[in-house]
Every structure is written in structure tokens, then in C-alpha cells.
Amino acid sequence: MKVLKLIWESVRFAFQALQANLTRTILSLLGVTVGIFAIIAVFTLVDSLEKNIKSSLSFLGSNVMTIDKFDYSAGGGPDFPWWVYFRRPNNSYSEFTFLRDNLRNSAATALFADANTTVQFGNNSFSGSNVKGVTFTYKDVYDVPIGAGRFFTEIEISGARNVVVIGTKIANTLFPNQDPLGKEMKIRGQKFFVVGVFEEEGEALFDTPSKDEACMIPFGAFSKIYNVGRYGLGPSIAMKGLDDDTGMIALENEVTGLLRAKRGLKPTQDSNFSLNKSEFIMNTIGSIFDVISGAGWVIGGFSILVGGFGIANIMFVSVKERTNIIGIQKSLGAKNYFILYQFLFEAMFLSLIGGITGIILVYLITFVQLGSLELTLSIKNIILGLGVSSVIGIVSGIVPATLAARLDPVEAIRSA
């Protein structure tokens, strides 16, 4: 009951201070409001951007390693030795089967190749479609969300049959107001039977590959319409690792040893292939957003610092104005901690007003549509904003509250 009474009195005194000096209080709390708004707004934008980008890069898969000619982590620039990577041999189907049959640290191994082309149905056509030829195990390595119809059967894959799964944009363009399942479309002059349609992904924040504009066919059928191999398109070999980091390290070492042996490389020779991990790109994105979040702390920190001084100023004035009341409370038996908590609660309450106002402003911004980016104010950021506000209130009010608690009751009453 004493604690509840203390809280109630603190709230009452805070409201009285707001009503008595409304302009001064609003100007002082503006710093906290702007600071919390800046920090939470940056965090909300960063979280939304990171979520959108990682969703756009979901085609990379999780715990996936690919064998390619080029190293994705090598970067670029004028000093990039592109000719070294360009001379490397393409992956082959025999290397895929060798790794598939011998890898022990891989949950699944798949082979795929892709190219861009125009697809047709009657007088309708869709330009720039990404046609991907895959093996049956592709669905075990990557997520293949089917919205209608089905994925390929193992017989269709092994028999290199002309079947295709298409994206929603292609389906709507080639087959307007029609069910595409069971229809025949043309890819590079060859007829393909539509057996499935991917789930719609929608617009991505960046220009990343989308299944809405993609076609997927068996790898054997892909090899019939494209030159795949040593002097043609180079396929990629993808492996799904185990769920832990140790499993991925073991898989990397195992793949390196097996593929070097398959290609007959001597111990003194460098590997003529690159192992690219999906986690590398995700971690790089996370590092970039960590820097942006740090900048948000710096920007908002200055505003919060100003707001903290403003609240401290209010509390010093409040202690001065209520010195006589403090003396009366102490003469009636109020303990030092009661006076201390009274002003600390008041400082926290004042700071929380600024923090809540900043969070409300961020929430209103989430209703603004920024292209395909959907802003979301998470519970984590709300708790963070309230927590920072509470800490600022305590830090700003601790000195005035301590001075008030240490006042001599006789001197305090005489100050009137």
C-alpha cells in the first residue's frame, strides 16, 4: 500500500508540475521525444529493411553451399583477377553425381543451371523470364513453394520430360483469365506442359530474382535447349548442410577434398573452384545494418542527452519550489527514501511521457507506404524505447532527488 501511495503521489505531483509549467515542461521533454523518435525510427527502418532484404534473398536458402567458378566474397574493382576465375572449368553432371553419392555431411545435393529467355503461349509472350533447370533433389536444398499444381516427379526429372513450373506473372501474362495447369507453352521453340505454379512472392525491395518471373524445368530438358557443359553454360552444384556451424565447416572440408580428388588436382595446386555460402551474404547484410543502428544511437543519443538535461532542470526547479512541502513531510515522519523515490518516480514519469510520444510518432510513420517496403514497429523496439526513457528519467532525476532527500526539515520549512 505504501508503494502504491508513493507512486500515486508521484504521478499527482508530476501532473501538477505539467499543469503549472506546461510550456517549460513541453520544451524540456522535446529532447527526449526527438531522441527516442530518432532511435526507434532508425531501428524500425533497419529491422524492416533487413527483413525485406533477407526475404528477397530467401532464394539463397539456409545452410546452403554452392560450387561455382567465381568467389562471391572476392568483391570486384580494378584489381579483381577475373581472368583467374574465368579460366576455371565448369561444373559437370558427373561431378554432381560423384558428390551426391560420396558426401556424408550433406543433407541433400542438387545441380541446377539457369538462363534468361522469352516464353510464349499462342500470341502472348513474356520477356526476360529466368528459366532454371534442376535435378529432383533441388527441392530438398532450396524452398520451392508451389501455389497450384505440383513439383516434378522423379520419373519426369530422370526422363528429361518437357514439364514446367511457372511464376504467377508468367501465368497471368500467358494465360489471362485461364487456368495454366495442363496448358502447353513454348520455351525456345520447345513445347512444355505446365504442371505447377509458384506461390506469388510480390514486389521485392531490390531487383532480386523472383519466382513470379521464373520457369523451372528438369535439368535434362534444360540441357536439350541450352548448351550446358565445358563450352556452354556452367551449372552450379548446391549442398544443404547440417543445421549447426560445425556441420557446415565439415561439409566445406569434405567437398574440397572430394572435388580436388575428382578433378585430379595436386597438393601444390590451388583449387579451381569456389565454395560460396549463403550465410556469408546474410552476415554481410547484418553487419551493414549494425553500422546503421550504431549511427541511429549516435544521432538519437545527442537529443536524449539534451532531453536528460531538460528533465534534470525541471527536477531541480521542482525541488526548489517544493522545499517547504519536503520539510513538512519530513517533520511528519517521512523517511529520506520516501522523498528520494518520490522525485525519482516523477522524473521517470516525465521522461516516459517524452518516450511514449516518440514511440507514437514512429507508430504513425509505419502507416506511410514506402514503395514495397512495409514498416513494422516491433514489440522489441517499443520495450527498448520505454526502457531508454526510464533510464534517462532515473539518471536525470537521481541528483535532484538525492538533494531533496538530504534536506534538513527545519531549514526546508524556514525556506518558505
Side-chain angles (χ1 to χ4, degrees), residues 31-333:
V32 176
T33 300
V34 173
I36 296 298
F37 171 78
I39 291 176
I40 303 305
V42 169
F43 283 178
T44 299
L45 180 61
V46 166
D47 290 346
S48 301
L49 278 171
E50 188 171 5
K51 180 180 177 182
N52 191 290
I53 291 175
K54 288 186 175 180
S55 177
S56 299
L57 297 177
S58 60
F59 66 92
L60 295 174
S62 176
N63 289 336
V64 174
M65 182 186 301
T66 59
I67 304 174
D68 301 287
K69 293 172 65 173
F70 288 87
D71 186 356
Y72 296 159
S73 63
D79 298 328
F80 180 70
W82 59 267
W83 59 89
V84 175
Y85 296 98
F86 188 77
R87 292 175 184 173
R88 290 177 172 181
N90 290 332
N91 297 323
S92 65
Y93 189 84
S94 62
E95 290 173 345
F96 156 67
T97 57
F98 175 75
L99 292 174
R100 181 194 61 189
D101 297 338
N102 291 279
L103 283 175
R104 296 294 176 264
N105 292 290
S106 173
T109 306
L111 180 72
F112 66 92
D114 57 1
N116 292 329
T117 189
T118 299
V119 296
Q120 296 175 311
F121 173 75
N123 294 326
N124 299 327
S125 63
F126 188 94
S127 302
S129 172
N130 180 259
V131 180
K132 188 184 296 290
V134 302
T135 56
F136 183 71
T137 49
Y138 183 87
K139 61 180 178 56
D140 300 322
V141 178
Y142 295 99
D143 183 29
V144 184
I146 303 295
R150 59 177 177 81
F151 189 67
F152 313 119
T153 64
E154 196 165 1
I155 295 177
E156 290 172 336
I157 294 285
S158 60
R161 296 182 181 178
N162 287 10
V163 288
V164 61
V165 179
I166 62 176
T168 54
K169 282 188 177 180
I170 296 177
N172 295 333
T173 302
L174 299 187
F175 311 99
N177 302 320
Q178 300 182 55
D179 183 3
L181 298 179
K183 300 290 195 306
E184 282 188 342
M185 56 181 285
K186 287 186 177 182
I187 303 176
R188 302 203 75 184
Q190 296 288 324
K191 292 182 178 180
F192 281 80
F193 187 77
V194 180
V195 297
V197 179
F198 293 118
E199 285 185 2
E200 185 174 3
E201 288 187 347
E203 294 294 333
L205 181 63
F206 298 103
D207 188 19
T208 54
S210 172
K211 286 186 174 62
D212 294 345
E213 303 175 355
C215 294
M216 189 173 290
I217 61 178
F219 186 80
F222 185 89
S223 301
K224 291 189 294 185
I225 59 177
Y226 287 100
N227 180 20
V228 182
R230 183 176 181 182
Y231 300 106
L233 296 174
S236 296
I237 301 175
M239 296 138 295
K240 179 79 170 180
L242 302 179
D243 293 334
D244 55 1
D245 293 336
T246 305
M248 291 299 292
I249 294 173
L251 176 60
E252 181 178 2
N253 294 332
E254 187 180 19
V255 170
T256 301
L258 288 174
L259 193 54
R260 283 181 62 88
K262 175 68 175 176
R263 294 188 175 182
L265 296 176
K266 298 179 181 179
T268 56
Q269 290 180 292
D270 294 331
S271 297
N272 56 0
F273 56 88
S274 295
L275 299 180
N276 296 305
K277 301 177 185 177
S278 58
E279 280 70 20
F280 174 79
I281 298 177
M282 297 298 185
N283 292 338
T284 302
I285 292 174
S287 300
I288 294 173
F289 284 116
D290 287 342
V291 175
I292 299 176
S293 298
W297 275 110
V298 173
I299 295 171
F302 285 107
S303 297
I304 288 179
L305 185 63
V306 174
F309 281 115
I311 292 176
N313 179 63
I314 290 177
M315 297 310 300
F316 278 117
V317 173
S318 182
V319 171
K320 184 67 175 177
E321 291 175 346
R322 287 159 35 197
T323 300
N324 181 255
I325 297 176
I326 295 171
I328 295 174
Q329 288 177 333
K330 282 196 167 190
S331 66
L332 294 175

Side-chain angles (χ1 to χ4, degrees), residues 13-25:
F13 282 134
F15 270 118
Q16 289 176 352
L18 284 172
Q19 293 173 353
N21 305 282
L22 188 59
T23 303
R24 181 187 69 187
T25 303

